[in-house]
Amino acid sequence: MMDKRIIRVFPRRTNATPDDELVRVRETPSFFDEADEVHISVAFTWDMPYAEWLAAQWAPVAPVKMGGPAFNEPGGDFVPGMYMKRGYVITSRGCPNRCWFCAVPKREGGQLRELPVTDGWIVTDDNLLACSPGHIDEVFAMLSRQPHRPQFVGGLEAALMTPDMAVRLRGLKPESMFFAYDTPNDLEPLQAAGKMLLDAGFKRSNHVPRCYVLIGYPGDTQEKALARLGEAWRAGFLPFAMLYRDNTGNFDKDWRRFQREWANPKIVPCNCKKYFEK
C-alpha cells in the first residue's frame, strides 16, 4: 500500500492525525496534487456529510476510497503512520464488553482481534488488558525498546487489573495510563485498581494513572458528573471528562463548558484540589 502515492484526507485534525507531506486536513485539491489513490479517513459519524463532499472534490485527482471508524466496519491491520501519526499504535481491535454508549462492539462484531505488533509508544487499543497473556507480553516487550515512555490512551479496563499487572505497568515507567469510569458498575473495580497501582509504586502526585469519566449522557446532571469526577480522584486517578455525543455529534453548550474545565491537563489538578480536598 505504501508503494503507492496515497493522499489521505481528514475532515478534522486531532492529536493523532498524521502530518506527513501526503496528508490534507479539510482541504480540497490544489493544481499540483497528484496521487494513485485518495483515502478519505472519517473518525466521527457527524463528519460524514462533509467527508462525502470532500470525496467528490478529490475524485478528479485519483480513485477515492472512504473509510474509518465512522463507517462502523471492522478495521484491518494497523499500518504505522498511515492514518495515525507516527508513535501511535494499535495492537488489537475490539472489546468483549457491551457498553451501551460504545460503537466498538458494533463495529468489530463483539469480538477482540489481536493484530501483528508494530512499533509505537502511544497505545490506543480498545481493551489491551483483554488480550491474551502472550500478546500482552509482546506489546510490553515492544514498548520497552521505544525511544519514548509509553502512553496508554485507549483505556485500560480496571476490572482486569491484577497486582502483577500493576507491577509490570510500573516497570514500563509510563507517561500516562487511562482507565474509564463510564457506568456505576465501574466504580468498585476502579477503586480496586487504584489501590493496586498505588501499592505497585505509582504516585498520585505524578498524575500518571488517569481516568476518563463519561458525562452529559441522557439523565446526567453536572452535580452527578462532579461527584463521579471526585470518586475517580479519590480512587487514585486524575479524572478527565469525556462528553457524550449521539451520532449527530450534538451536545449541550453548558455541558461543553463544563467538560472543558475537566479535560485540560493543566487545569484539572487544580480543580481536583479545589473541589475534592476541602
Side-chain angles (χ1 to χ4, degrees), residues 228-247:
R228 294 195 302 277
L229 291 162
E231 288 170 337
W233 171 255
R234 286 184 286 273
F237 300 86
L238 187 66
F240 284 84
M242 296 294 291
L243 183 57
Y244 170 81
R245 296 190 184 194
D246 59 23
N247 288 336

Side-chain angles (χ1 to χ4, degrees), residues 12 21 56 79 83 94-95 101 114 119-120 161 192 200 211 222 233 239 244 247 251 256:
R12 70 174 63 229
E21 63 177 6
V79 181
Y83 304 109
C95 176
F101 52 84
E114 297 176 351
D119 283 336
M161 180 57 57
C211 182
Q222 292 187 10
W233 171 255
Y244 170 81
N247 288 336
F251 55 83
R256 181 58 171 168

Side-chain angles (χ1 to χ4, degrees), residues 105-120:
K106 299 175 184 176
R107 183 168 66 242
E108 298 294 336
Q111 303 296 316
L112 186 146
R113 293 181 290 121
E114 297 176 351
L115 309 179
V117 177
T118 58
D119 283 336

Side-chain angles (χ1 to χ4, degrees), residues 109-144:
Q111 303 296 316
L112 186 146
R113 293 181 290 121
E114 297 176 351
L115 309 179
V117 177
T118 58
D119 283 336
W121 56 90
I122 308 174
V123 183
T124 61
D125 292 37
D126 300 311
N127 193 339
L128 176 63
L129 295 185
C131 293
S132 66
H135 183 83
I136 294 175
D137 289 346
E138 187 176 357
V139 172
F140 279 28
M142 177 274 291
L143 292 172
S144 68

Side-chain angles (χ1 to χ4, degrees), residues 174-235:
E175 181 177 327
S176 61
M177 306 181 304
F178 278 91
F179 291 75
Y181 181 12
D182 298 321
T183 69
N185 291 337
D186 293 330
L187 179 56
E188 187 173 338
L190 187 71
Q191 292 168 332
K195 184 178 185 305
M196 293 177 203
L197 294 170
L198 291 173
D199 289 345
F202 285 98
K203 298 183 183 301
R204 182 197 297 274
S205 58
N206 293 337
H207 304 317
V208 172
R210 303 181 176 189
C211 182
Y212 297 121
V213 179
L214 185 66
I215 67 168
Y217 49 81
D220 197 15
T221 67
Q222 292 187 10
E223 291 75 16
K224 293 178 180 178
L226 187 63
R228 294 195 302 277
L229 291 162
E231 288 170 337
W233 171 255
R234 286 184 286 273

Side-chain angles (χ1 to χ4, degrees), residues 240-271:
F240 284 84
M242 296 294 291
L243 183 57
Y244 170 81
R245 296 190 184 194
D246 59 23
N247 288 336
T248 66
N250 291 330
F251 55 83
D252 181 271
K253 291 182 179 179
D254 288 339
W255 272 115
R256 181 58 171 168
R257 283 192 290 268
F258 179 90
Q259 189 257 348
R260 285 174 177 165
E261 288 293 312
W262 290 95
N264 186 319
K266 295 181 179 179
I267 298 176
V268 171
C270 297
N271 283 346

